[in-house]
Amino acid sequence: FPSFQKLTTYVVGIKQSNGQYAYVDASSTGGWLNVLPATLLTDRARLVNPKGSTWVDLQKTIKAKTVAAIEATLSADGTIQGTQTTQYEGLAAQLFRQQQHSTEFAQKAMDSTAVNYKGTVANGQITFCPFPTPPIQPRPFATEDRLMPVEFPSLSSEMMTVNITLPEGYVLVDKPEQYNMVTTDKGVEGRLFVSQMGQKLQIHYLFNVNKVKQDPKNYPAIRQMFETFTNLGKTLLVVKPES
């Protein structure tokens, strides 16, 4: 039996010309149309209007989207230098602005940083990780079994493309295995593949959460997928002069 006295905020639904609703929470910092705090993203929100009320799913209104592109050059001494450009949308943009202590009010955010790190050189080969930082961080899926559903903060999409120009005449020693993993209900999916065209090495990475709430029976697959892609973010590549 909820009462208005116990409410600390509410979401306003704005009916658009196409009949669909856009939602806004004016009490949140860094919000935007359809950019709500993750704590409000319930799949059963009560939409109240003069003609009555109905249930709506706020989890489908927005996702956290991150798209990153790295353009870098690998030198014969193992140094990788270049630029990473990242675009954040929705909840990812809100989180980025909070981390930057920014008061900007927008649905998107951009960031550009220098890339400068070094691999190792031995026996004429260069060993390096194509990712300056792991694209996916370890998640708290330590236990082997789970009785309760897995709930993510929101729908999310993380994409990264890495283009590394190799030293003249260098080739990839062993092409890594391509990964394309997805849960049976397509709630979580991940892809990674590496290719070389001329002197350019290209790595494509994608990881999507397509369903906020996951059935416990999917937990082993989800756990395995996160472990796999966490490790892939640390994978080392080896290049050498073409013989």
Side-chain angles (χ1 to χ4, degrees):
F1 301 98
S3 65
F4 284 109
Q5 288 76 18
K6 298 297 183 181
L7 294 178
T8 57
T9 187
Y10 58 88
V11 176
V12 176
I14 306 161
K15 193 171 185 178
Q16 303 171 97
S17 58
N18 60 5
Q20 298 181 343
Y21 280 86
Y23 301 95
V24 64
D25 171 29
S27 69
S28 67
T29 58
W32 193 256
L33 285 176
N34 288 333
V35 181
L36 307 174
T39 53
L40 296 182
L41 295 180
T42 175
D43 59 350
R44 282 175 61 82
R46 196 67 175 170
L47 178 64
V48 180
N49 59 53
K51 296 182 180 180
S53 61
T54 185
W55 293 109
V56 294
D57 184 357
L58 294 181
Q59 292 177 349
K60 296 180 179 179
T61 61
I62 192 63
K63 68 166 55 177
K65 186 175 181 180
T66 303
V67 180
I70 294 177
E71 291 287 341
T73 300
L74 173 66
S75 301
D77 66 354
T79 301
I80 299 100
Q81 290 182 313
T83 303
Q84 176 173 333
T85 303
T86 309
Q87 178 174 291
Y88 305 92
E89 294 184 24
L91 288 174
Q94 184 183 55
L95 178 60
F96 173 75
R97 288 195 299 270
Q98 290 173 349
Q99 292 172 341
Q100 300 297 312
H101 304 288
S102 171
T103 57
E104 181 184 6
F105 189 70
Q107 192 173 23
K108 298 181 180 180
M110 293 287 294
D111 183 43
S112 182
T113 57
V115 172
N116 192 339
Y117 63 104
K118 198 166 185 176
T120 59
V121 181
N123 301 321
Q125 297 183 342
I126 307 174
T127 303
F128 65 98
C129 180
F131 302 109
T133 56
I136 187 171
Q137 301 299 321
R139 301 294 173 107
F141 298 137
T143 60
E144 293 189 6
D145 301 309
R146 188 181 181 98
L147 299 178
M148 300 297 291
V150 176
E151 289 195 58
F152 294 97
S154 70
L155 303 177
S156 65
S157 177
E158 300 175 22
M159 292 180 283
M160 178 176 283
T161 301
V162 183
N163 290 308
I164 299 178
T165 302
L166 303 180
E168 189 66 31
Y170 276 69
V171 294
L172 192 62
V173 173
D174 292 311
K175 187 177 179 181
E177 180 182 351
Q178 295 189 16
Y179 286 85
N180 187 359
M181 303 176 68
V182 61
T183 56
T184 54
D185 64 351
K186 299 183 180 180
V188 182
E189 61 178 335
R191 300 173 194 161
L192 186 141
F193 63 90
V194 179
S195 61
Q196 181 178 357
M197 295 185 63
Q199 293 307 114
K200 183 154 288 189
L201 196 64
Q202 192 169 76
I203 300 95
H204 289 286
Y205 165 87
L206 169 71
F207 200 89
N208 288 341
V209 174
N210 302 318
K211 290 178 63 177
V212 173
K213 185 179 291 185
Q214 305 285 333
D215 193 282
K217 68 181 181 182
N218 291 335
Y219 176 72
I222 295 171
R223 181 172 181 261
Q224 179 61 48
M225 195 176 301
F226 271 95
E227 287 183 359
T228 298
F229 280 85
T230 297
N231 292 331
L232 287 175
K234 306 172 186 175
T235 297
L236 298 178
L237 301 180
V238 180
V239 297
K240 69 175 182 178
E242 188 173 15
S243 56

